[in-house]
Amino acid sequence: MIRARKLQKTYGSGERRLEVLRGLDLVVESGEFVAVMGSSGSGKSTLLHILGCLDRPTAGSYFLDGIDVLRLSDRDRSRLRAERIGFVFQGFNLLANLTVRENIALPFLYRSRPCRDIEKRVESVAAMVGMSRRLHHRPGELSGGEMQRTAIARALVIRPGIILADEPTGNLDSVTTGEILALFTTLHGDAGTTIVMISHDPEVVRCSQRVLLLRDGVLREKGCG
Amino acid sequence: MDKFLGIVADGLRSLLQHKLRSALSVSGVVCGVMAVLTMVSIGEGGKRETIGQIEQLGLRNVYIRSLELAGEEKDRARQHLSQGLSLRDAERIGVLLRGIDDIGVYRRSRASLLGTALKFSPEVVGISVGYQNIYNLQPAAGRLFGSMDIERRHTVCVLGAGLAAKLGPQGVVGAKIRAGDTVLTVIGIMAAADGRREESSILSLNNYDEMLLVPIGVDTELHGDSDGADAAGEELSEIVVRLTPDKNVDGGAAEIERLMQVLHNGVDDYDIILPLELIRQAGRTRRIFNIVLGSIAGISLLVGGIGIMNIMLATVTERTREIGIRRAIGARRQDILVQFLAESTILTLTGGLLGIGAGVTLSMGIGSLAGWSVAVTPYAILIPFITSLTVGLFFGLYPAIKAANMDPIAALHHS
């Protein structure tokens, strides 16, 4: 499903040149749960942005579901994100002026194909993440765990091929972290959703199938969970 | 289309969540549109009234008005054998020129009415039959002057409605009124003026309410300054020449001008006025007014537009993270552009609509309080509406482009 070869990402030039990814290879099969770990500044988020079609590598190739992403226009990459990729961020990234229901339904606004059962799908994913009773609340009225559940529901509602999670438990306490990771495990186990999760958290290692360590701009297999 | 409407609705929702800020940011547009609409409506009302008055003068008419000359100028004019505007001029125009449909003459003076309760000397207007025809005068009671009244100088009169009312029992048809040594018989009463048709300073568009109308020639007898034999030489106030429909008005006026120069031996003691030319002048004045108005409108809407751009730029900066989130979940640059453009357009359109409402109210209020003629025309509403829409699109474009071109990753990490 994900085929990335010799990915390079360099920022700046001359003396300020910074090589973040140095010929990184990555293959993630459909239905896999992969954790990417690494120290701060190792390029984990950069990798996730490239995988999520938000950024372009300096060199290399990247195929998502057989599509050569690097040949796509900005418009087509946006469409790919709207239809195949679900993002979950450390800072939740919900829109404060929208309710939980509206936040979850937001991705439908940018899909080219109209969806007739938006309400049904919103309620279904809200039930899946345990947010059915909070649909009319705004993010300011939610706890950190509830906000992350909402963000996960927003990522799930379009039935994406892949969920990219950037330190989703980074802002949560240990109890809530356990709940959110359990939710990801359930999603992976029940729905077979492909998940690539970036984390510092050793807990993530336990629930993922495969752990990759990003160091010196390349990925190394760490072991199985 | 659904997607577009969804994005526009999303923009509207964002605006409604900041009601006060939205209201303050459109205030400039509201004031601009209100000012434009009010000025256009007052200007249009004035224009219609002016053109209406000019048209009442008759677009096929040529007016020859007597000019008041100062002492020395008058002496010089008399030395050149010009006796001022006279009945002879009217007669010669009628005889010598072609394409003349009718000629009316008119002379104003004042006379004391003896044996009445009046505390003032009413204005006496000597008129010809031609004058009655050209202005299509209609009495409310009795009759107007016939050609026999003019030719034989019958001592008859027609009263303005206001004057008739003030004269009481003497202000009725058949009553006798004494002016100087002359006793006038009242043969008709004019209809009351409608109030709006006030005395014009341009030409003889008169409010006859307080006037005493007499056959031309009889008016001079009321002052005892003419024996009637030389009445043809008495200075007239005005001659009105109505040209036939097939006669070119400009050409006819030029012929009259040339003839008058000959008749008056080159003395400019008259003025030739063409209502058609007055309309053209009104049109030229109107164009200048439109340019001034357009400039004021442009400046006020520019200020309003800058206000909108300022608030939209602040909004884009404030919502940078939101833009990043929207891009991450699949929004295209175009979607972001449409959303912010929709917000600025909704703001200015709302401002435009509020401004139109306020402008119509203000125009009506000013018209009612000042007694001015105000005309709120469809274009007076349409122009500010379209302009506010254009302002919204134009001044919202730069902030929207700025939002759409943001790097999604940088936007996501914006704090």
Side-chain angles (χ1 to χ4, degrees), chain A residues 49 54-55 74-75 78 81-82 87 89 91 93-95 97-98 102 106-107 109-111 138 154, chain B residues 3 6-7 10 13-14 17 321-322 325-335 339 408-409 412-413:
Chain A
H49 292 149
L54 281 170
D55 202 359
D74 184 78
R75 183 190 178 93
S78 296
R81 285 198 298 277
F87 276 102
F89 301 97
N93 280 343
L94 299 175
L95 298 190
N97 53 354
L98 303 186
E102 289 162 345
L106 194 61
L109 192 60
Y110 304 114
R111 284 172 71 99
R138 294 187 192 278
R154 183 181 63 189
Chain B
K3 185 177 173 181
I7 291 170
D10 211 33
R13 188 165 45 197
S14 296
Q17 267 151 4
R321 198 178 175 87
E322 178 191 323
I325 296 168
R326 288 181 187 271
R327 293 281 279 134
I329 62 174
R332 297 168 300 168
R333 288 185 200 281
Q334 184 190 333
D335 298 329
Q339 182 181 341
I409 299 166
L412 269 174
H413 292 130

Side-chain angles (χ1 to χ4, degrees), chain B residues 7-41:
Chain B
I7 291 170
V8 171
D10 211 33
L12 182 62
R13 188 165 45 197
S14 296
L15 293 174
L16 289 174
Q17 267 151 4
H18 301 99
K19 289 188 187 73
L20 182 62
R21 186 167 68 180
S22 302
L24 290 173
S25 56
V26 300
S27 57
V29 177
V30 174
C31 292
V33 169
M34 182 181 73
V36 171
L37 196 143
T38 307
M39 285 190 287
V40 168
S41 301

Side-chain angles (χ1 to χ4, degrees), chain A residues 166-187:
Chain A
D166 189 357
E167 306 213 28
T169 58
N171 283 355
L172 304 175
D173 59 48
S174 58
V175 176
T176 317
T177 295
E179 288 171 6
I180 293 299
L181 289 178
L183 183 57
F184 273 109
T185 310
T186 309
L187 286 174

Side-chain angles (χ1 to χ4, degrees), chain A:
Chain A
M1 182 171 200
I2 288 178
R3 300 272 185 277
R5 275 185 56 78
K6 299 195 182 307
L7 285 184
Q8 289 181 31
K9 184 69 184 179
T10 307
Y11 294 104
S13 59
E15 287 183 7
R16 291 187 175 181
R17 183 182 162 91
L18 178 65
E19 282 188 309
V20 180
L21 303 180
R22 300 175 179 179
L24 176 149
D25 293 328
L26 174 66
V27 176
V28 178
E29 296 299 337
S30 188
E32 246 192 313
F33 187 162
V34 177
V36 178
M37 304 188 83
S39 57
S40 279
S42 60
K44 300 188 299 294
S45 293
T46 301
L47 174 63
L48 202 78
H49 292 149
I50 292 171
L51 297 181
C53 307
L54 281 170
D55 202 359
R56 284 171 176 273
T58 313
S61 66
Y62 171 35
F63 289 82
L64 176 65
D65 291 339
I67 300 166
D68 187 353
V69 173
L70 305 186
R71 296 176 78 95
L72 297 180
S73 63
D74 184 78
R75 183 190 178 93
D76 289 336
R77 282 187 287 132
S78 296
R79 199 161 74 183
L80 207 60
R81 285 198 298 277
E83 291 175 359
R84 295 188 191 217
I85 301 168
F87 276 102
V88 180
F89 301 97
Q90 180 180 3
F92 320 126
N93 280 343
L94 299 175
L95 298 190
N97 53 354
L98 303 186
T99 62
V100 167
R101 181 190 291 277
E102 289 162 345
N103 265 292
I104 295 174
L106 194 61
F108 287 113
L109 192 60
Y110 304 114
R111 284 172 71 99
S112 49
R113 282 172 295 174
C115 181
R116 288 183 182 172
D117 57 347
I118 293 174
E119 284 302 305
K120 212 168 140 187
R121 279 169 70 169
V122 167
E123 281 165 19
S124 163
V125 290
M128 200 185 294
V129 301
M131 288 298 291
S132 294
R133 294 182 171 209
R134 306 285 263 160
L135 284 173
H136 298 291
H137 289 81
R138 294 187 192 278
E141 299 160 353
L142 305 177
S143 68
E146 286 173 324
M147 283 198 270
Q148 198 57 294
R149 285 170 188 275
T150 307
I152 293 168
R154 183 181 63 189
L156 285 175
V157 78
I158 57 165
R159 295 176 185 157
I162 182 169
I163 286 186
L164 301 172
D166 189 357
E167 306 213 28
T169 58
N171 283 355
L172 304 175
D173 59 48
S174 58
V175 176
T176 317
T177 295
E179 288 171 6
I180 293 299
L181 289 178
L183 183 57
F184 273 109
T185 310
T186 309
L187 286 174
H188 174 246
D190 294 355
T193 311
T194 309
I195 300 171
V196 176
M197 185 183 289
I198 281 172
S199 185
H200 280 111
D201 197 334
E203 285 292 311
V204 172
V205 176
R206 277 207 288 275
C207 59
S208 61
Q209 289 175 309
R210 194 154 60 101
V211 179
L212 301 170
L213 188 65
L214 183 57
R215 186 184 287 166
D216 301 327
V218 290
L219 280 171
R220 292 186 179 86
E221 202 88 15
K222 195 179 178 190
C224 297

